[in-house]
Amino acid sequence: MDKYCVIGNPVDHSKSPAIHAVFARQTGQDLAYERCLAPVDGFAATLRRLVDEGYRGANVTVPFKIEAAALCTRLAPRARAAGAVNTLSFAHGEIAGDNTDGPGLVADITRNAGKAIAGSRVLLLGAGGAARGALLPLIEQGPREIVIANRTAATAAALARDFGRHGVPLRGAGFDAVAGAFDIVVNASSSSLAGALPPLPAGVFAPGALALDMMYGEQPTVFMQFAASQGAGVRDGLGMLVEQAAEAFAIWRGVRPDTTELFRKMRP
């Protein structure tokens, strides 16, 4: 039986073992998937132990995604662009790293929410690791424009420069410089963890807009509540979580599970 795990600190809240157990049953794959708590200063040692014990791969969550990228011997282009890794594969003495967060976000928007990114005006809130991981997959969908908004405008502008060579108009700004209405607004900031709302201007949501918060919980986040009050359709990050897990499973096992039934069970 092949072994996989999710590495984080904390990690006991992770839904990944349950998700991958469903995927394994659905696709007839013989594997075990568990949680692995790594000391904050002991990620590299934990990774070596997993490789030595014959694990085939691992997911990586907070706070180790950037450190994971630095320890990989090979990086997928989207992981290199993100500067962070959430999916590791161990084989032939190599540690290969990928980032499935962005593809998971895109799949949730386009497949589950039925919203086209192509030709859309997209507002990405935040300029940290979550935003960086989402940018290349969003760009590859061909939006009309992406605006990155952040409390520190210089950080957003630097991120826009980093990804500006891909052919999609990309602009970084402070929240106070966001102008016009957007078809898709993605909250990739940490504001929802603190129960706070990014200082968005009035009229930021176009008619029929989709607002997606990367965080998820039992109740809608403050961002989702605000977006709904402005007439936008809202989603939390649960669909993104399930879709990025399916992408990681496909990398490891060569088959992509169907996420529809699982998502319905997790969010009736």
Side-chain angles (χ1 to χ4, degrees):
M1 179 180 289
D2 294 333
K3 296 185 294 183
Y4 299 86
C5 69
V6 56
I7 314 171
N9 189 328
V11 78
D12 59 350
H13 65 288
S14 175
K15 298 180 184 295
S16 292
I19 291 171
H20 284 277
V22 171
F23 290 164
R25 288 196 299 271
Q26 182 191 113
T27 58
Q29 298 287 309
D30 187 20
L31 62 85
Y33 189 109
E34 61 192 33
R35 298 178 183 90
C36 179
L37 177 67
V40 173
D41 60 351
F43 177 76
T46 300
L47 203 57
R48 286 194 298 271
R49 176 179 64 80
L50 294 174
V51 172
D52 291 342
E53 292 178 0
Y55 281 72
R56 296 289 303 277
N59 287 129
V60 183
T61 187
V62 176
F64 301 121
K65 292 183 180 183
I66 294 175
E67 187 177 355
L71 293 172
C72 289
T73 56
R74 180 163 53 88
L75 287 173
R78 60 194 181 193
R80 186 176 296 108
V85 159
N86 79 331
T87 301
L88 297 168
S89 302
F90 312 136
H92 311 299
E94 278 199 319
I95 300 176
D98 207 332
N99 191 312
T100 66
D101 286 334
L105 172 68
V106 166
D108 190 48
I109 292 173
T110 59
R111 184 182 303 129
N112 300 332
K115 185 76 171 177
I117 299 172
S120 295
R121 193 164 187 246
V122 178
L123 176 61
L124 186 61
L125 306 176
R132 179 174 284 275
L135 265 172
L136 186 57
L138 284 172
I139 288 169
E140 290 172 344
Q141 291 292 304
R144 184 167 82 250
E145 178 188 24
I146 299 177
V147 175
I148 305 164
N150 192 55
R151 290 187 184 277
T152 306
T155 305
L159 188 55
R161 286 194 300 272
D162 287 348
F163 284 83
R165 66 185 183 279
H166 295 285
V168 169
L170 201 60
R171 182 170 63 87
F175 286 116
D176 57 351
V178 173
F182 294 84
D183 305 296
I184 299 170
V185 181
V186 177
N187 185 18
S189 75
S190 60
S191 60
S192 292
L193 290 174
L197 178 70
L200 297 172
V204 73
F205 300 102
L210 173 68
L212 187 147
D213 198 323
M214 287 189 180
M215 302 300 168
Y216 64 91
E218 295 298 322
Q219 301 298 324
T221 64
V222 175
F223 167 76
M224 293 169 64
Q225 294 174 42
F226 173 74
S229 74
Q230 301 299 303
V234 298
R235 294 183 71 80
D236 66 6
L238 184 62
M240 175 182 171
L241 172 72
V242 172
E243 295 294 344
Q244 67 80 25
E247 183 76 7
F249 192 93
I251 290 169
W252 292 330
R253 311 303 295 185
V255 57
R256 196 182 197 285
D258 177 35
T259 58
T260 307
E261 182 182 353
L262 176 59
F263 185 71
R264 285 175 181 160
K265 287 181 178 179
M266 296 180 72
R267 179 59 51 78

